[in-house]
């Protein structure tokens, strides 16, 4: 048995080890802590690539925690799933790779960004704990484990959002996020209870195998969708998002973006892999589409009027999440009908998954750029900035790439995924793609505003001594820039080799169940 | 009907917690609301776990019974209680810090983040 069988568990073990070993290593001084945290996150990135490779060649990986088989055979001969499993298919592993990229970028950026503050040891510990929670959310194949990782990710992000604890705003943002995510977590727990009470099962694949669409399941689905839409910042409960994203240190915000996407991965797992074709009727897909449309429109219209750079980007996150919700809703709408699925359903799923990945990369980069602006100017108010392009050539270059990608300007990756979403949503109703297009235009408008006010214009005399940010911060931003350029330059290869298998794996409920249960239960 | 009574209590408790979070203005009362919600969820799991006339799933202890109670929900509840403990502690410490910064416990006055 080769070591690569243990890759899914290592993906969780390495960041957890990092979280608890960093405070000890940090006793050796700043250099030791720097080397150690970069080492841990680089190892994690390499492991995630190995996992992607393993899944691509060997098929879906199922890892059973603390046992050989996922089930327990009772004396009566009945096999019963008792173990906690991690299940990794092409969808999970792809998102995990991007999450690890974002985590590495955040670590590199945070090395110098937080230099002026104390409490860096606990910061690194919480940072790796948040990484572990995020990866757990993405990789798990067990309902209750999903809840546990959700809480691990939430608790560590409460601490990180309140990192600048002398600022009243950070504490307030952290408290707001805490309320929202506690309500969401309790709803998830209730939903898990409903499913457990019905089937006595917690294994996602096993539940998916036997699920009917009765009243208890409907209640569970409603709770799950509400809770996870709250966690990923969809429209009616989006208030925490701009606050938390703006008040957290920029290196943390990158990871918060990934965590919100991890909740969305969980939502997809529940909707497609557990329920899937069991969902009867058009109510659930249309609910997702409506949530998506409202998030898109209201998010972007709030963003246009903002004057604070990180709040502006936070509102854009709301509107970007809307794109994915709409894409998955359209995919779910086409689910029952093979012809519709071939017509526009698969395109929509591909667009949703690709947009998710793109969103993590360019939004992460944008938040890092905002952090860099804050680092050199000491303010986040756009009206006080100006003429920074000459002073910070690298940052400006990377900002332009990220802004072009988020606005969907060809040839960047945002364009490819948005085009897939436009195409497929047009087949359902033209109004959907009209809203998406208008959102895209307003996004472009607001980023032109940021570019013009912060980077262009006459130099202000209070910034005459401003220099480019330190090398490690540039390196952190460069990691994400390279990913964006890679995704942009080879869109055909990426779509056919990474996105399409991911979409197929997500839609194919039978394969997901079969990978765990094999023949029968 | 009597068998469903615990579920009614769970529903009421959950709603009470939710209403407290939405309607109350005092930070501590909001924290209590979150706590009530957590208890409701835990109670739901405990109630779900019990099967009428069931006994512990140890083969030698209970004697001849047909129905065993699986201990999974109890394990879930213990985990959920530990998590709830951590979040309540963190929440209370955040309330203390909010009070230090703003000098009030009224949520209507703690709103520097808006727009």
């Amino acid at each position: 048995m080769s070591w690569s069988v243990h890759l899914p568990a290592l993906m969780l073990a390495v960041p957890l080890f990092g979280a608890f070993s960093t405070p000890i290593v940090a006793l050796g001084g700043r250099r030791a802590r720097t080397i150690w945290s970069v080492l841990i996150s680089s190892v994690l990135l390499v492991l995630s690539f190995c996992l992607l490779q393993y899944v691509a060649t060997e098929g879906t990986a199922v890892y059973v925690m603390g046992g050989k088989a996922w089930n327990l055979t009772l004396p009566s001969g009945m096999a019963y799933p008792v173990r906690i499993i991690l299940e990794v298919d092409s969808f999970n592993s792809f998102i995990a790779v991007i999450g690890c990229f974002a985590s590495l970028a955040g670590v590199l950026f945070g090395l110098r960004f937080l230099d002026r503050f104390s409490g860096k040891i606990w910061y690194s510990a919480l940072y790796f704990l948040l990484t572990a929670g995020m990866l757990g959310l993405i990789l798990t194949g067990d309902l209750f484990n999903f809840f546990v990782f959700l809480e691990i990710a939430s608790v560590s992000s409460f601490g990180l959002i309140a990192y600048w604890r002398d600022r009243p705003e950070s504490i307030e943002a952290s408290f707001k996020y805490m309320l929202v995510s506690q309500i969401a977590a309790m709803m998830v727990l209730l939903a898990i209870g409903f499913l457990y009470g019905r089937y006595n099962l917690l294994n996602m694949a096993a539940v998916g195998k036997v699920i009917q669409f009765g009243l208890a399941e409907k209640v569970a689905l409603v709770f799950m969708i509400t809770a996870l839409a709250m966690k990923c910042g969809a429209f009616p409960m989006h208030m925490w998002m701009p606050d938390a994203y703006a008040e957290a240190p920029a290196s943390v915000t990158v990871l918060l973006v990934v965590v919100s996407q991890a909740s969305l991965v969980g939502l997809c797992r529940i909707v497609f892999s557990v329920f899937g074709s069991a969902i009867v009727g058009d109510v659930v897909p249309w609910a997702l589409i409506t949530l998506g449309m409202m998030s898109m429109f209201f998010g972007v219209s709030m963003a246009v009027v903002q004057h604070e750079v990180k709040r502006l980007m936070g509102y854009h996150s709301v509107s970007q999440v809307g794109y994915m919700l709409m894409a998955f809703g359209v995919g779910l709408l086409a689910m029952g009908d093979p012809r519709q699925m071939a017509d526009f359903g698969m395109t929509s799923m591909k667009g949703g998954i690709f947009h998710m990945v793109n969103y993590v990369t360019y939004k992460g980069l944008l938040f890092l750029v905002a952090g860099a602006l804050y680092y050199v100017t000491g303010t986040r108010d756009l009206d006080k900035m100006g003429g920074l392009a000459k002073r910070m050539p690298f940052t400006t270059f990377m900002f332009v790439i990220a802004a072009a990608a988020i606005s969907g300007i060809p040839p960047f990756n945002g364009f490819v995924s948005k085009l897939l979403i436009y195409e497929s949503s047009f087949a359902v109703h033209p109004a959907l793609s009209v809203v998406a297009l208008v959102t895209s235009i307003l996004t472009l408008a607001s980023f032109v505003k940021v570019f013009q006010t912060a980077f262009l214009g006459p130099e202000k005399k209070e910034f005459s001594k401003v220099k480019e940010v330190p090398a490690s911060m540039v390196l952190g931003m460069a990691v994400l820039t390279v990913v964006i350029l890679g995704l942009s330059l080879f869109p055909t290869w990426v779509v056919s080799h990474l996105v399409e298998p991911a979409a197929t794996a997500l839609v194919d409920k039978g394969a997901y169940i079969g990978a765990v249960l094999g023949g029968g239960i | 009907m009597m068998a469903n009574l615990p579920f009614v209590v769970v529903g009421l408790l959950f709603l009470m917690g939710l209403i407290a979070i939405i309607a109350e203005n005092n930070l501590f009362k909001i924290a209590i609301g979150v706590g009530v919600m957590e208890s409701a969820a835990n109670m739901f799991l405990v109630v779900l776990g019990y099967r009428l006339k069931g006994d512990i799933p140890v083969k030698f202890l209970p004697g001849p019974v047909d129905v065993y109670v699986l201990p999974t929900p109890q394990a879930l509840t213990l985990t959920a209680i530990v998590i709830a403990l951590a979040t309540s502690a963190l929440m209370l410490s955040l309330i203390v810090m909010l009070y230090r910064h703003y000098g009030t416990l009224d949520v209507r006055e703690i709103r520097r983040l808006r727009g």
Side-chain angles (χ1 to χ4, degrees):
Chain A
M1 199 158 74
S2 83
W3 68 281
S4 47
V5 177
H6 298 291
L7 274 171
L10 281 176
M11 290 287 288
L12 301 182
V14 168
L16 269 182
F17 174 68
F20 293 105
S21 61
T22 316
I24 300 170
V25 174
L27 295 176
R30 207 188 94 184
R31 179 175 286 269
R33 181 176 63 85
T34 305
I35 294 172
W36 189 249
S37 46
V38 173
L39 186 72
I40 293 274
S41 45
S42 312
V43 167
L44 194 60
L45 183 60
V46 173
L47 282 178
S48 71
F49 267 111
C50 292
L51 185 62
L52 186 70
Q53 182 62 32
Y54 178 79
V55 172
T57 51
E58 307 274 317
T60 307
V62 179
Y63 189 83
V64 183
M65 290 288 188
K68 279 209 160 46
W70 54 272
N71 54 15
L72 180 76
T73 310
L74 298 180
S76 58
M78 184 185 138
Y80 196 73
V82 287
R83 304 267 183 224
I84 292 171
I85 62 161
L86 302 175
E87 181 167 9
V88 191
D89 57 14
S90 321
F91 173 57
N92 284 358
S93 54
F94 185 32
I95 307 289
V97 168
I98 298 296
C100 292
F101 265 118
S103 173
L104 177 65
V107 165
L108 286 170
F109 192 85
L111 291 176
R112 291 296 298 277
F113 183 62
L114 297 168
D115 248 4
R116 304 164 184 170
F117 310 97
S118 63
K120 286 189 286 290
I121 297 172
W122 308 118
Y123 162 82
S124 335
L126 279 179
Y127 189 89
F128 282 118
L129 204 57
L130 184 54
T131 310
M134 176 266 288
L135 286 172
L137 274 178
I138 294 175
L139 300 179
T140 187
D142 184 276
L143 283 172
F144 189 70
N145 226 20
F146 181 78
F147 167 76
V148 172
F149 282 117
L150 193 72
E151 285 291 44
I152 291 178
S154 309
V155 171
S156 39
S157 47
F158 303 151
L160 286 171
I161 293 169
Y163 178 71
W164 284 319
R165 61 174 189 270
D166 51 334
R167 284 171 52 89
E169 290 91 347
S170 333
I171 309 282
E172 191 185 329
S174 180
F175 190 77
K176 238 182 206 180
Y177 180 45
M178 178 178 253
L179 278 185
V180 170
S181 57
Q182 277 313 100
I183 296 175
M186 287 310 124
M187 283 183 175
V188 169
L189 193 55
L190 278 189
I192 292 168
F194 272 106
L195 288 179
Y196 181 83
R198 201 83 173 77
Y199 301 110
N200 285 329
L201 293 169
L202 286 170
N203 189 313
M204 282 191 198
V207 175
K209 169 115 182 171
V210 291
I211 203 157
Q212 314 277 319
F213 203 49
L215 182 64
E217 291 84 353
K218 280 180 190 161
V219 175
L221 186 64
V222 168
F223 272 134
M224 275 285 183
I225 290 181
T226 320
L228 294 173
M230 268 157 94
K231 283 288 285 185
C232 67
F235 163 63
M237 291 303 288
H238 66 284
M239 308 88 65
W240 65 269
M241 207 172 192
D243 297 349
Y245 283 11
E247 294 308 322
S251 48
V252 175
T253 316
V254 182
L255 212 48
L256 288 179
V257 168
V258 192
V259 171
S260 76
Q261 291 317 295
S263 325
L264 200 58
V265 170
L267 184 66
C268 291
R269 272 274 168 261
I270 303 288
V271 169
F272 289 101
S273 301
V274 175
F275 281 88
S277 43
I279 295 177
V280 185
D282 287 349
V283 179
V284 179
W286 277 107
L288 283 180
I289 294 174
T290 319
L291 271 182
M293 274 173 58
M294 301 218 292
S295 313
M296 269 196 277
F297 188 70
F298 289 105
V300 83
S301 51
M302 285 301 285
V304 173
V305 298
Q306 295 299 318
H307 288 269
E308 209 185 88
V309 60
K310 279 185 89 182
R311 281 189 81 80
L312 183 141
M313 292 174 183
Y315 276 111
H316 274 299
S317 304
V318 178
S319 80
Q320 295 291 313
V321 166
Y323 276 101
M324 297 154 220
L325 282 175
M326 189 176 90
F328 291 129
V330 170
L332 190 60
L333 195 64
M335 191 88 166
D337 188 344
R339 197 179 54 80
Q340 280 189 340
M341 204 61 203
D343 259 3
F344 59 88
M346 272 314 275
T347 320
S348 181
M349 295 302 292
K350 278 190 275 185
I353 292 172
F354 198 21
H355 202 71
M356 209 152 147
V357 169
N358 294 339
Y359 163 72
V360 170
T361 53
Y362 55 61
K363 196 28 100 47
L365 182 54
L366 282 172
F367 276 118
L368 289 186
V369 169
L373 289 177
Y374 178 62
Y375 184 82
V376 296
T377 61
T379 175
R380 289 193 308 233
D381 196 341
L382 278 173
D383 300 339
K384 290 185 188 144
M385 294 179 197
L388 291 167
K390 248 182 238 156
R391 300 270 162 203
M392 311 167 72
F394 294 120
T395 313
T396 316
F397 173 67
M398 290 190 254
F399 173 79
V400 171
I401 288 182
I406 195 177
S407 322
I409 294 174
F412 288 100
N413 54 358
F415 170 70
V416 183
S417 54
K418 279 186 182 175
L419 191 66
L420 290 171
I421 295 177
Y422 297 151
E423 270 180 13
S424 52
S425 56
F426 191 82
V428 176
H429 198 281
L432 300 184
S433 37
V434 169
V435 173
L437 273 168
V438 169
T439 308
S440 190
I441 293 165
L442 288 176
T443 309
L444 181 62
S446 67
F447 278 101
V448 167
K449 179 178 107 176
V450 175
F451 184 57
Q452 198 259 333
T453 48
F455 292 101
L456 300 182
E459 250 177 52
K460 298 205 168 175
K461 63 175 180 299
E462 61 263 37
F463 299 140
S464 57
K465 290 208 179 64
V466 161
K467 282 202 294 284
E468 181 61 82
V469 289
S472 69
M473 288 166 72
V474 174
L475 200 60
M477 293 190 272
V479 168
L480 288 176
T481 315
V482 168
V483 181
I484 294 180
L485 288 179
L487 292 173
S488 311
L489 291 178
F490 311 105
T492 339
W493 189 87
V494 171
V495 169
S496 61
H497 283 79
L498 294 172
V499 178
E500 191 154 342
T504 318
L506 186 55
V507 174
D508 193 352
K509 181 180 162 185
Y512 183 80
I513 295 169
V516 179
L517 300 183
I521 180 170
Chain B
M1 180 62 217
M2 276 310 282
N4 284 334
L5 193 62
F7 293 105
V8 177
V9 175
V10 167
L12 281 179
L13 271 181
F14 195 81
L15 274 183
M16 272 164 63
L18 200 59
I19 290 169
I21 292 173
I22 294 165
E24 287 292 343
N25 288 323
N26 187 308
L27 284 177
F28 278 112
K29 289 184 182 165
I30 291 177
I32 291 170
V34 173
V36 171
M37 269 175 78
E38 280 159 356
S39 313
N42 287 336
M43 187 174 161
F44 184 53
L45 290 178
V46 171
V47 171
L48 270 183
Y50 185 67
R51 296 283 176 274
L52 274 182
K53 301 206 169 61
D55 214 326
I56 50 172
V58 179
K59 211 176 170 188
F60 314 103
L61 287 182
V65 272
D66 299 331
V67 184
Y68 292 109
V69 177
L70 260 192
T72 318
Q74 277 89 324
L76 306 189
T77 317
L78 280 180
T79 318
I81 288 174
V82 173
I83 292 171
L85 173 80
T87 48
S88 326
L90 199 54
M91 179 173 278
L92 290 176
S93 66
L94 281 183
I95 291 177
V96 170
M97 283 207 251
L98 275 177
Y99 183 74
R100 277 194 201 144
H101 281 303
Y102 289 87
T104 172
L105 285 174
D106 194 335
V107 278
R108 283 166 301 186
E109 290 170 39
I110 303 178
R111 44 193 327 167
R112 223 173 272 185
L113 291 167
R114 57 197 317 187

